[in-house]
């Protein structure tokens, strides 16, 4: 049974709080009252994973073999190799699994497959590897169906709920990119108003709100609205929503306390578009369907363009400042 | 609305001559890239491949290759 504290701690790691030290000890655990013939389910030692699994297995009687994935979830760890062939073999040996169960079968989550060479595990440990369903909630049905999974159970989705829970970990790590506009705008306003006073501070604050908008386009709205935004490229999706925001910015620039000057407006628009494009591209790292080759292609093309656009944007603001001071 | 990523970029390759039709690639793939047809695997939807490497890792005769990067 998951306690209120478990739920709260699981919520916190979604925001990056204590995320990198959120583990359970590797080893063999019992769910319910398993016997020698009970199935063995393998999982990672990230506590969020472990809690999700034991919540879905309530009422079952089986063994849970927890691998040392250094506190990382199954799929990421499999990609890295820590939910891996050697760790699985070692953990089977360390827990003396062959003395605990009379059978020689283990069930690993399907998403552990990238890290586990099942034939090597069998050769080394004597245990035959079966692939369980993608989602823990399908395990009871999988077990009841003679260890058969439907196509749906073997497919990874990326629906709204899946996407929205990832947004805090786009927003929080992304905040450091907002420091650049903070400093930039502060310096710009101080120089152009010839003073560090309440006016320049107020103006900087309202200026920044336009950047918060671009930031949220890239870190929140692209993930949430992903299937409905045109283009397959994440960077282009970011550019698309970023352009909509740029339109708002252009028409309501006085709300954000920007002067009616083309150098200022276009300079800031280049920066706003850079932010939403880059942060949207970053979301590929958390998505469940983007390939390495695809993200590489996007990155190689987009990052130099974003850097160039940012430099051009800053250049326009500098040009304005120089002409204004003269 | 099925989400689709960029076209014609993935490095997935299947050597059908080597394939013994065990079906493991079909089982482990999270996006139903493979199908088993006439006792052998075939690529059903190459652009849906996310290069996770599960297939290549588990193919018993190394008939499948893919560049899976850092995961």
């Amino acid at each position: 049974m998951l306690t209120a504290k478990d739920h709260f701690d699981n919520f916190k790691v979604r925001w990056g709080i204590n995320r990198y030290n959120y583990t359970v000890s590797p080893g063999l655990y019992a769910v319910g009252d398993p016997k020698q013939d009970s199935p063995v389910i393998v999982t990672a030692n990230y506590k969020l994973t472990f809690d999700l699994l034991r919540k879905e297995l309530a009422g079952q009687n089986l063994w849970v073999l927890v691998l040392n994935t250094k506190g990382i979830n199954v799929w990421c760890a499999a990609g890295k190799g820590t939910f891996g062939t050697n760790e699985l073999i070692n953990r089977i040996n360390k827990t003396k699994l062959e003395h605990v169960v009379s059978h020689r079968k283990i069930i690993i989550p399907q998403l552990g497959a990238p890290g586990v060479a099942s034939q090597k595990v069998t050769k080394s440990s004597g245990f035959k590897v079966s692939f369980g369903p993608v989602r823990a909630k399908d395990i009871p049905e999988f077990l009841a169906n003679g260890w058969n999974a439907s196509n749906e159970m073997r497919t990874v989705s990326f629906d709204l709920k899946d996407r929205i829970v990832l947004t805090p970990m786009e927003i929080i790590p992304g905040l450091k990119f907002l420091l650049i506009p903070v400093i930039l705008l502060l310096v710009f306003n101080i120089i152009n108003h010839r003073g560090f006073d309440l006016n320049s501070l107020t103006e900087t604050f309202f200026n920044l709100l336009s950047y918060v908008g671009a930031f949220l386009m890239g870190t929140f709205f692209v993930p949430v609205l992903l299937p409905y935004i045109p283009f397959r490229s994440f960077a282009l999706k970011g550019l698309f929503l970023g352009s909509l925001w740029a339109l708002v910015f252009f028409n309501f620039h006085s709300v954000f306390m920007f002067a009616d000057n083309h150098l200022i407006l276009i300079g800031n628009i280049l920066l706003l578009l850079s932010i939403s494009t880059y942060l949207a591209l970053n979301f590929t790292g958390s998505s469940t369907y983007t390939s390495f080759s695809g993200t590489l292609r996007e990155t190689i093309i987009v990052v130099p363009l974003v850097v160039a656009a940012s430099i051009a944007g800053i250049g326009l603001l500098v040009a304005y400042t120089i002409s204004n001071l003269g | 609305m099925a989400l689709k990523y960029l076209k014609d970029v993935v490095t997935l390759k299947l050597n059908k001559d080597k394939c013994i039709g065990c079906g493991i690639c079909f089982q482990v793939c999270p996006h139903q890239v493979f199908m088993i047809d006439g006792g052998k695997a075939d690529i059903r939807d190459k652009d849906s491949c996310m290069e996770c490497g599960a297939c290549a890792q588990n193919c018993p005769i190394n008939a499948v290759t893919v560049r899976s990067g850092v995961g």
Side-chain angles (χ1 to χ4, degrees):
Chain A
M1 281 298 293
L2 294 182
T3 62
K5 181 179 193 301
D6 289 326
H7 286 298
F8 187 50
D9 288 343
N10 291 343
F11 176 77
K12 281 193 287 188
V13 295
R14 284 295 190 183
W15 288 83
I17 301 168
N18 197 33
R19 186 184 180 91
Y20 301 104
N21 189 28
Y22 197 55
T23 60
V24 298
S25 295
L28 192 62
Y29 292 76
V31 170
D33 185 23
K35 305 279 188 273
Q36 277 202 320
D37 58 355
S38 301
V40 178
I41 311 261
V42 185
T43 193
N45 77 326
Y46 183 34
K47 187 171 180 295
L48 186 65
T49 304
F50 185 72
D51 281 355
L52 206 134
L53 181 66
R54 65 190 178 98
K55 175 179 143 231
E56 299 297 346
L57 296 181
Q60 303 275 335
N61 298 304
L62 35 76
W63 302 99
V64 173
L65 183 65
V66 175
L67 304 188
N68 183 4
T69 59
K70 305 182 206 230
I72 302 293
N73 69 80
V74 169
W75 208 8
C76 291
K80 287 273 182 287
T82 40
F83 189 97
T85 310
N86 289 336
E87 167 58 21
L88 178 53
I89 292 168
N90 287 337
R91 204 54 58 184
I92 290 171
N93 291 332
K94 275 201 178 113
T95 56
K96 304 204 193 305
L97 189 64
E98 75 270 19
H99 295 305
V100 176
V101 294
S102 53
H103 60 75
R104 289 292 176 263
K105 293 181 285 192
I106 53 175
I107 300 169
I108 73 165
Q110 183 178 331
L111 297 184
V116 175
S118 44
Q119 295 87 16
K120 285 200 186 121
V121 173
T122 306
K123 223 180 207 164
S124 184
S125 70
F127 278 84
K128 183 178 184 313
V129 174
S130 292
F131 296 101
V134 165
R135 288 165 291 275
K137 72 169 168 51
D138 291 327
I139 293 176
E141 193 181 331
F142 171 81
L143 293 172
N145 277 355
W147 298 23
N148 288 311
S150 64
N151 284 355
E152 210 268 327
M153 286 187 196
R154 294 216 174 281
T155 305
V156 165
S157 54
F158 202 36
D159 58 19
L160 178 62
K161 180 178 186 293
D162 298 328
R163 301 192 307 268
I164 211 168
V165 295
L166 297 172
T167 55
M169 284 305 288
E170 293 297 311
I171 290 169
I172 307 282
L175 286 174
K176 58 178 176 282
F177 288 103
L178 276 182
L179 277 178
I180 301 166
V182 165
I183 295 166
L184 206 68
L185 291 166
L186 202 56
V187 167
F188 180 82
N189 286 327
I190 287 171
I191 296 177
N192 282 292
H193 297 293
R194 296 164 212 258
F196 181 60
D197 57 8
L198 193 62
N199 279 336
S200 20
L201 275 177
T202 311
E203 199 155 325
T204 305
F205 175 77
F206 279 91
N207 290 166
L208 263 171
L209 291 180
S210 63
Y211 281 82
V212 171
F215 176 81
L216 288 176
M217 284 300 173
T219 57
F220 184 77
F221 289 104
V222 164
V224 167
L225 300 173
L226 200 69
Y228 312 109
I229 310 168
F231 308 111
R232 295 184 176 204
S233 143
F234 279 43
L236 285 179
K237 288 180 193 269
L239 184 61
F240 183 84
L241 288 192
S243 298
L244 295 181
W245 179 250
L247 223 67
V248 167
F249 167 80
F250 192 77
N251 285 304
F252 297 98
H253 56 269
S254 50
V255 171
F256 299 109
M257 294 188 77
F258 282 105
D260 206 7
N261 175 286
H262 278 93
L263 285 176
I264 291 180
L265 295 182
I266 294 173
N268 280 292
I269 282 176
L270 286 170
L271 289 164
L272 293 173
L273 292 176
S274 296
I275 285 175
S276 44
T277 303
Y278 179 77
L279 291 174
L281 173 62
N282 196 53
F283 190 54
T284 53
S286 313
S287 65
T288 63
Y289 70 101
T290 52
S291 61
F292 173 69
S293 297
T295 56
L296 188 65
R297 175 178 292 181
E298 278 209 71
T299 303
I300 286 175
I301 295 170
V302 167
V303 168
L305 287 174
V306 161
V307 168
S310 303
I311 291 174
I314 294 172
L316 289 180
L317 297 178
V318 168
Y320 170 83
T321 306
I322 291 173
S323 72
N324 193 35
L325 287 177
Chain B
M1 242 182 125
L3 286 159
K4 295 210 163 285
Y5 198 41
L6 309 183
K7 287 189 209 183
D8 296 327
V9 281
V10 298
T11 55
L12 180 70
K13 288 187 181 59
L14 168 65
N15 184 339
K16 284 192 77 175
D17 292 329
K18 274 186 170 180
C19 175
I20 57 172
C22 72
I24 284 183
C25 57
F26 168 75
Q27 256 197 55
V28 296
C29 179
H31 292 295
Q32 313 242 310
V33 171
F34 296 93
M35 63 186 181
I36 307 298
D37 186 31
K40 290 223 183 216
D42 211 347
I43 294 175
R44 189 186 68 90
D45 184 0
K46 190 172 176 193
D47 288 337
S48 282
C49 172
M50 63 183 290
E51 299 180 319
C52 71
C55 52
Q57 180 77 265
N58 284 280
C59 176
I61 28 89
N62 295 318
V64 186
T65 58
V66 68
R67 175 181 64 174
S68 48
V70 295

